Amino acid sequence: VLIIGAGIAGISAALWCKRLGLHPVIIECTNQMGGQLHQIKNKIWDFPPHVYRNGQELYHGLRENIEVKQLDIRFEESLLSIDIDKHLAKTTKSVYAADYLMMATGVRHNSLSVMDTSTIVLDPWFSTTSEAEILKDKQVLVIGGGDRALESVFNLSAYAKHIWLAARSKRLRGRSEWVERIKHRPNVTIFMETVLLNTVETAEQTGAVLCNHASKESFFLPVDWILPRIGVRGNSDAALFLSHDGEGFLIADEYQRTSADWIYAIGDLTNGSAYASIALAAGQAMKAAKHISLRIKERNTYV
Ligand SMILES: Cc1cc2nc3c(=O)[nH]c(=O)nc-3n(C[C@H](O)[C@H](O)[C@H](O)COP(=O)(O)OP(=O)(O)OC[C@H]3O[C@@H](n4cnc5c(N)ncnc54)[C@H](O)[C@@H]3O)c2cc1C
């Protein structure tokens, strides 16, 4: 079983494959396992029995686990393409013939081209719980209208001098609890139907050029920082021939099988942000590994 991605989904899948007598090999494009665990700055209390101070602590526990240490993980190797008929996976270092493939490649942030070269755009992984202090007394523009954007506005409102939220749509997508909370913050202003056109970064001033869809008017907003919260998409570039939802999230059946019979999808890559969690990723890993082992058993019975 070739597993692509060494986040919590890929590692859990490999452990279950091993337990069920399968032969798992993981390839991971970075030089370390853990994936998004490295970005979690909050306490993790929903993956019992331990309460981890943050993702790093869970990552260290994983890395030191004796079973995980024995896994065959090939770092700095990236999936490039899949030959669906020949059961081949081409990577940056090799070509693998696999009976089964598990895609566990997680997600990446959406980006806007205007953000690529800007020095006032914060990293999309910026944590508004552990790093908010940096924005104390600053003027901040948050881009987005979902839960993460609203939560970020709420968290930052305790630190920043003023926060503007620019949302593209007519209505905020985030949960009403968040909308209610930020509505009552005196230092928060919301712009609806508004998009970021450009940034201005001169010695005299920094800020954002925004445009209102409805009025077609553009205007300059002086801000110190811009925080993008415009969602994530599935890392499925090498597998877009499989059924997906248009945002890179692979569609899987109840056993985590994709539209190709021998390819499975587990973890955030198939869950979307609403259901992204360590527990679900680990659970899906188990289900996919078990399904593969039962299929092999069934096949061997009939041979
Ligand atoms: C800030 C933050 C806080 C969170 N807090 C919690 C929490 O408290 N509780 C909770 O349950 N969940 C939490 N989550 C969600 C949780 O971290 C994720 O649901 C989970 O880690 C997803 O694991 P995954 O293995 O599916 O994907 P990922 O962790 O994204 O792993 C995917 C791996 O695949 C690799 N990869 C990608 N493309 C390729 C390729 N082409 N070839 C080879 N390798 C590739 C990546 O490098 C990565 O290592 C949080 C997430 C964030 C960002």
Side-chain angles (χ1 to χ4, degrees):
V1 181
L2 182 64
I3 299 167
I4 316 294
I8 195 73
I11 297 287
S12 308
L15 290 174
W16 270 99
C17 283
K18 212 175 124 182
R19 181 174 183 167
L20 294 164
L22 306 171
H23 175 57
V25 170
I26 307 185
I27 68 161
E28 164 57 48
C29 63
T30 69
N31 60 5
Q32 59 183 353
M33 69 176 86
Q36 286 174 67
L37 297 185
H38 298 281
Q39 308 302 335
I40 304 182
K41 311 287 186 325
N42 52 281
K43 198 189 274 181
I44 303 173
W45 53 268
D46 46 16
F47 191 54
H50 295 294
V51 174
Y52 301 93
R53 267 180 295 144
N54 48 41
Q56 276 305 313
E57 194 170 288
L58 203 165
Y59 159 72
H60 284 294
L62 258 191
R63 209 185 54 176
E64 295 312 315
N65 178 290
I66 184 79
E67 298 295 339
V68 173
K69 274 186 175 173
Q70 290 166 11
L71 294 175
D72 182 352
I73 309 178
R74 303 176 187 187
F75 291 104
E76 296 182 323
E77 185 168 352
S78 192
L79 176 70
L80 293 178
S81 61
I82 300 168
D83 184 327
I84 192 166
D85 299 319
K86 294 187 180 142
H87 282 221
L88 296 177
K90 189 173 173 208
T91 71
T92 42
K93 292 188 179 166
S94 188
V95 177
Y96 295 83
D99 292 312
Y100 296 96
L101 188 79
M102 273 200 222
M103 293 290 295
T105 44
V107 293
R108 65 171 180 272
H109 285 281
N110 288 321
S111 77
L112 299 172
S113 56
V114 11
M115 295 170 174
D116 292 346
T117 51
S118 170
T119 55
I120 61 167
V121 174
L122 292 159
D123 188 296
W125 290 116
F126 182 86
S127 165
T128 55
T129 46
S130 68
E131 297 172 300
E133 188 78 33
I134 300 169
L135 301 181
K136 193 164 168 33
D137 299 329
K138 301 286 182 201
Q139 311 211 90
V140 184
L141 170 67
V142 176
I143 311 277
D147 281 339
R148 280 206 80 208
L150 303 184
E151 184 182 0
S152 298
V153 169
F154 180 75
N155 291 343
L156 292 179
S157 64
Y159 296 88
K161 186 170 169 189
H162 201 96
I163 302 156
W164 290 266
L165 174 70
R168 197 174 43 178
S169 52
K170 270 190 182 154
R171 283 190 64 239
L172 293 170
R173 279 179 293 114
R175 291 201 305 269
S176 53
E177 305 94 272
W178 284 121
V179 178
E180 280 309 307
R181 281 187 191 177
I182 65 170
K183 257 183 15 199
H184 300 295
R185 290 291 194 172
N187 59 344
V188 172
T189 306
I190 302 175
F191 294 131
M192 297 308 301
E193 295 185 78
T194 302
V195 294
L196 175 67
L197 288 185
N198 227 323
T199 61
V200 174
E201 298 166 49
T202 64
E204 294 76 41
Q205 62 180 355
T206 60
V209 179
L210 297 165
C211 178
N212 181 281
H213 277 325
S215 65
K216 304 268 181 289
E217 273 174 22
S218 51
F219 59 100
F220 175 71
L221 182 73
V223 290
D224 301 299
W225 292 103
I226 299 174
L227 177 60
R229 286 293 194 241
I230 51 174
V232 292
R233 56 180 295 111
N235 279 324
S236 59
D237 297 357
L240 283 175
F241 55 88
L242 300 170
S243 296
H244 61 88
D245 73 342
E247 292 190 344
F249 294 105
L250 297 185
I251 294 167
D253 69 9
E254 62 187 306
Y255 302 111
Q256 303 306 132
R257 214 169 15 175
T258 66
S259 51
D261 191 48
W262 62 288
I263 303 178
Y264 290 69
I266 55 175
D268 280 14
L269 174 65
T270 184
N271 297 332
S273 43
Y275 292 91
S277 65
I278 297 166
L280 185 57
Q284 290 172 332
M286 180 277 162
K287 208 169 193 188
K290 185 75 188 218
H291 193 248
I292 291 172
S293 84
L294 290 175
R295 283 175 76 182
I296 293 173
K297 221 182 243 173
E298 200 173 318
R299 198 178 62 196
N300 291 344
T301 313
Y302 288 114
V303 167

